[in-house]
Amino acid sequence: MLAAKANMIQQFNHRNIKILQNLGYEVHVATNMVDFGSMSTDENERFKLWMSNNNVIAHQVDFERRMGTLKGNIRSIRQLREIFKTNDFCFIHVHSPLGSILGRFVAKQFKVPAIYTAHGFHFFKGGPKSGWIVFYPLEWLFAFFTDTLITINDEDYTLAKKHMHANKIVKINGIGVDALMLDLRTDFLLSCKLIAEEHFLYDSIF
């Protein structure tokens, strides 16, 4: 699970992590736990403790804010490559614009399938032109790097079905993975080892 900032995982993905573990996956989290986003230092420390107590393997990646700088993004890509080199991941689950782009970019190099949850596209009908100029081309391009694109509203789902090129596009009602709609066992398990034989997941939220 990969996210640019730890608060994204802390606020939205405890349940998703437990669902994945109950499905038999070992969950890794890659995020920035130093510049951790919109939560307090105490909340960040409690989150790190929660991961440790729940057998979640955490990786520090120095993701920058917003879309980052060229230098910072290159550093993050190098850190992600090192994580991928030393782990045998079945697939990744990425969140948010920057994290999803860098995560999918590296996953493609290592031939690791990518799930992307779009928490609301930054371009929409009546929205600012800057969203369409900056984010639409990026989302369109990196959809080619995406095995499953998860949307959380009707407008994003309709747009994705029409313009994006992920192998599979689904819609869920709100944030979270509906195990009935996205059957991880049938979609991804066949290409992975069983957890008893070191069957790993890198579920990336970015």
Side-chain angles (χ1 to χ4, degrees), residues 13-32:
N13 286 279
H14 284 80
R15 180 172 175 269
N16 291 339
I17 289 171
K18 298 307 293 184
I19 288 172
L20 291 167
Q21 289 177 327
N22 290 336
L23 287 171
Y25 293 107
E26 176 176 283
V27 178
H28 292 230
V29 165
T31 189
N32 194 330

Side-chain angles (χ1 to χ4, degrees), residues 5 10 12 25 60 69 87 97 137 156 160 168 199 203-204:
K5 302 298 177 182
Q10 187 270 343
F12 300 115
Y25 293 107
Q60 169 63 27
T69 63
N87 293 276
D156 285 356
K168 183 176 182 179
H199 179 186
D203 180 15
S204 83

Side-chain angles (χ1 to χ4, degrees), residues 153-170:
N153 62 63
D154 290 332
E155 183 177 351
D156 285 356
Y157 177 71
T158 301
L159 187 150
K161 290 290 285 185
K162 186 175 181 180
H163 297 289
M164 303 299 168
H165 304 278
N167 291 337
K168 183 176 182 179
I169 298 172
V170 298

Side-chain angles (χ1 to χ4, degrees), residues 40-187:
S40 68
T41 300
D42 287 344
E43 287 174 318
N44 186 52
E45 292 303 316
R46 287 196 296 270
F47 174 58
K48 290 192 290 184
L49 180 62
W50 181 87
M51 287 195 291
S52 177
N53 290 340
N54 285 273
N55 300 314
V56 177
I57 299 173
H59 304 276
Q60 169 63 27
V61 181
D62 299 324
F63 295 119
E64 295 184 334
R65 294 179 179 271
R66 296 186 173 86
M67 295 306 290
T69 63
L70 177 61
K71 181 179 179 180
N73 290 340
I74 291 174
R75 179 177 62 244
S76 297
I77 288 171
R78 287 174 175 167
Q79 292 172 329
L80 288 172
R81 283 173 176 162
E82 288 303 311
I83 295 170
F84 274 74
K85 285 178 183 177
T86 55
N87 293 276
D88 182 19
F89 297 129
C90 291
F91 60 92
I92 67 168
H93 186 186
V94 298
H95 302 246
S96 82
L98 179 60
S100 71
I101 288 170
L102 300 188
R104 283 178 288 176
F105 178 73
V106 175
K108 185 71 171 179
Q109 295 175 346
F110 286 83
K111 299 181 180 179
V112 175
I115 301 170
Y116 169 40
T117 295
H119 294 260
F121 288 137
H122 287 247
F123 46 90
F124 48 89
K125 185 176 181 180
K129 290 183 179 179
S130 58
W132 289 93
I133 293 171
V134 175
F135 289 103
Y136 177 79
L138 288 171
E139 294 284 10
W140 180 86
L141 175 62
F142 280 89
F144 288 100
F145 292 46
T146 307
D147 288 85
T148 300
L149 169 59
I150 302 172
T151 60
I152 63 172
N153 62 63
D154 290 332
E155 183 177 351
D156 285 356
Y157 177 71
T158 301
L159 187 150
K161 290 290 285 185
K162 186 175 181 180
H163 297 289
M164 303 299 168
H165 304 278
N167 291 337
K168 183 176 182 179
I169 298 172
V170 298
K171 182 179 77 73
I172 59 175
N173 296 316
I175 298 169
V177 174
D178 185 337
L180 296 177
M181 291 184 65
L182 177 62
D183 189 344
L184 300 181
R185 291 185 182 276
T186 57
D187 282 356

